[in-house]
């Protein structure tokens, strides 16, 4: 019953709302499934990209993650074969059209359930963004995806988090109680009228982190009228991964999950807090996280990113190396805003030429040699850059473009 309702929602309101014609103007990027970020967290920044990547996009919706992955691998001239699966035929139609406009052809489109993923193949990579929390039994989804991984494969997934979505669930429950008997379009129309009468003091209306309801009908429905939606704290998510036989390989912005980055100087934590408790503590102290993005691998398979290794090839995400280098040379610090939180990163002015040297092709040894630094002097200048930028998801190591 619940799965039918979920399917009916996404047939009426394919999510997210996208116009395929926009593919000629821009590429939507994000986490998970940015290839360099996948490599950094899943394959030690050293995947052999000459081997075709067999990927599954599970619950691919209108195609954001699918298009990003396919387009970036195409641009990099790397071979791949992607299977897209979603319950909604309407969402698939939009995703297919987006792929067609871009001339992306190595994609198989399937209308069906991700619970059948193990029958669809053995995958090097599985993207599952914003889906598992909508399943009637989410753990069955975690388990199915884990079973669909090939040897050495990994998953990038996103699920909702409770604290940044403060106010959503009481209103969602209320709307579903009041309007659950209506078909999707009528439900939306009635909910919009009620929403206008909900007082400004309602926790939902006071939460500055929520905006999907203003963006589109699909966004309003997804946020406030979903019939099947449960958020995960980070410890709960780690529990679900563990039950599926998966280990956490990393999160795109590890600094946000480190309580030390929010504690004032002189305040230390009790001994004995394990990694899950520390991440949960950071989540609770920040209170702003609406989602968790994680990369995960089968138990025992974590390969650490190649921090500081001479052969590691650094990439910057969403930042121009020249502009960042200039800002660092002038001020020795940069300001970034992530998840509504502004942070100042201190970066040594002397590291500016190293930052400018990042082009996604040169490894650390080559960047150090170009700056005429011996390995020890290089490491001294590079380490704070790496810690700050990798900590906030701005720097990754990957061989994606090596030799290109
Ligand atoms: C919130 S949308 C996310 C779409 C896309 N992954 C993204 O991040 O833009 C959730 C999608 O999951 C799909 N979905 C829900 N349950 C599913 C299932 N059991 N198997 C496959 N797809 C499912 C829905 O049809 C919908 O398109």
């Amino acid at each position: 019953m619940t799965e039918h309702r979920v399917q009916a929602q996404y047939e009426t309101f394919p999510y997210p709302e996208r116009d395929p014609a926009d593919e000629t103007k821009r590429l939507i990027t994000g986490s998970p499934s940015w290839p360099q970020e996948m490599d950094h967290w899943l394959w030690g920044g050293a995947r052999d990209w000459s081997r075709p990547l067999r990927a599954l996009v599970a619950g691919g919706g209108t195609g954001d993650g699918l298009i990003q992955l396919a387009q970036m691998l195409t641009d990099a001239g790397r071979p791949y074969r992607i299977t897209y699966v979603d319950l909604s035929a309407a969402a698939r139609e939009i995703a297919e059209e987006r792929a067609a406009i871009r001339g992306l052809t190595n994609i198989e489109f399937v209308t069906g359930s991700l619970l059948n993923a193990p029958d669809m193949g053995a995958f090097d990579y599985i993207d599952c963004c914003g889906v598992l929390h909508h399943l009637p039994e989410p753990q069955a989804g975690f388990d199915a995806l884990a079973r669909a991984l090939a040897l050495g494969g990994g998953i990038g997934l996103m699920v909702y988090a409770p604290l940044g979505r403060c106010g959503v669930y009481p209103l969602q429950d209320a709307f579903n109680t009041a309007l659950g008997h209506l078909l999707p379009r009528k439900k939306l129309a009635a909910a919009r009228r009620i929403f206008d009468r909900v007082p400004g003091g309602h926790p939902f209306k006071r939460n500055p982190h929520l905006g999907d309801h203003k963006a589109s009908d699909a966004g309003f429905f997804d946020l406030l009228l979903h019939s099947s939606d449960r958020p995960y704290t980070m410890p709960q998510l780690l529990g679900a991964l563990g039950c599926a036989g998966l280990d956490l390989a990393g999160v795109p912005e590890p600094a946000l999950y480190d309580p030390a980055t929010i504690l004032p100087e002189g305040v230390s934590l009790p001994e004995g807090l394990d990694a899950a408790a520390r991440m949960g503590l950071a989540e609770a102290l920040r209170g702003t996280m609406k989602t968790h993005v994680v990369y995960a691998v089968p138990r025992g398979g974590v390969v650490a990113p190649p921090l500081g290794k001479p052969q590691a090839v650094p990439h910057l995400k969403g930042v121009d190396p020249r502009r960042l280098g200039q800002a660092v040379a002038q001020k020795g610090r940069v300001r970034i805003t992530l998840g509504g939180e502004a942070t100042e990163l201190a970066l040594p002015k002397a590291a500016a030429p190293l930052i400018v040297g990042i082009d996604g092709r040169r490894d650390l040894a080559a960047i150090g040699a170009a700056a005429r630094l011996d390995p020890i002097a290089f490491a001294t200048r590079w380490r704070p850059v790496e810690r700050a930028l990798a900590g906030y998801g701005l720097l990754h190591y990957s061989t994606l473009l090596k030799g290109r």
Side-chain angles (χ1 to χ4, degrees), residues 110-278:
V110 178
T111 298
S113 173
L114 63 80
L115 295 176
N116 301 324
D119 303 329
M120 295 176 195
F123 298 98
D124 303 311
Y125 180 68
I126 299 177
D127 165 287
C128 190
C129 182
V131 183
L132 293 174
H133 46 239
H134 293 318
L135 266 52
E137 288 178 50
Q139 190 61 48
F142 282 93
D143 297 349
L145 297 185
R147 288 203 312 278
L149 282 175
L151 195 67
I155 297 183
L157 65 86
M158 180 278 267
V159 292
Y160 289 152
L163 299 180
R165 289 166 63 83
C166 174
V168 169
Y169 293 97
L171 200 49
Q172 202 183 79
D173 284 349
F175 280 147
N176 278 318
T177 302
L179 310 171
H181 59 293
L182 299 177
L183 288 173
R185 284 196 191 285
K186 289 220 152 117
K187 194 175 171 186
L188 176 76
R192 280 199 180 281
R193 292 176 57 215
I194 299 174
F195 185 79
D196 288 342
R197 303 170 73 103
V198 170
H202 189 288
F204 180 92
K205 288 203 169 171
R206 295 187 69 85
N207 184 340
H209 308 294
L210 303 168
D212 227 12
H213 58 301
K214 295 181 194 148
S216 63
D217 284 349
F220 189 104
F221 208 109
D222 213 69
L223 190 61
L224 285 172
L225 294 170
H226 218 291
S227 58
S228 181
D229 174 347
R230 65 142 295 185
Y232 285 81
T233 63
M234 187 48 121
Q236 288 169 340
L237 174 55
L238 296 177
L241 293 176
C243 287
L246 298 170
D247 281 344
L248 176 72
V251 294
E253 290 117 15
L256 295 183
Y257 288 91
D258 178 359
T261 59
I262 194 167
L263 292 178
E265 239 171 78
V267 177
S268 56
L269 295 176
E271 304 241 325
L273 287 183
D274 65 13
R278 288 178 63 87

Side-chain angles (χ1 to χ4, degrees), residues 3 6-7 9-11 13-16 18 57-65 84-88 91 112-115 127-136 158 160 222 226:
E3 195 173 73
V6 170
Q7 189 175 1
Q9 169 187 334
Y10 289 113
E11 291 296 359
F13 298 111
Y15 186 92
R18 295 286 179 243
V57 178
T62 51
D64 283 3
Y84 158 108
V85 62
D86 199 288
L87 285 179
S88 161
S113 173
L114 63 80
L115 295 176
D127 165 287
C128 190
C129 182
V131 183
L132 293 174
H133 46 239
H134 293 318
L135 266 52
M158 180 278 267
Y160 289 152
D222 213 69
H226 218 291

Side-chain angles (χ1 to χ4, degrees), residues 21-44:
D22 289 340
E23 293 314 306
T24 55
K25 300 183 211 147
R26 54 92 186 98
L27 175 67
I28 292 175
T29 58
S31 298
S33 303
W34 199 65
Q36 292 92 326
E37 187 180 85
M38 291 156 49
D39 199 359
H40 182 93
W41 290 115
L42 296 174
W43 300 302

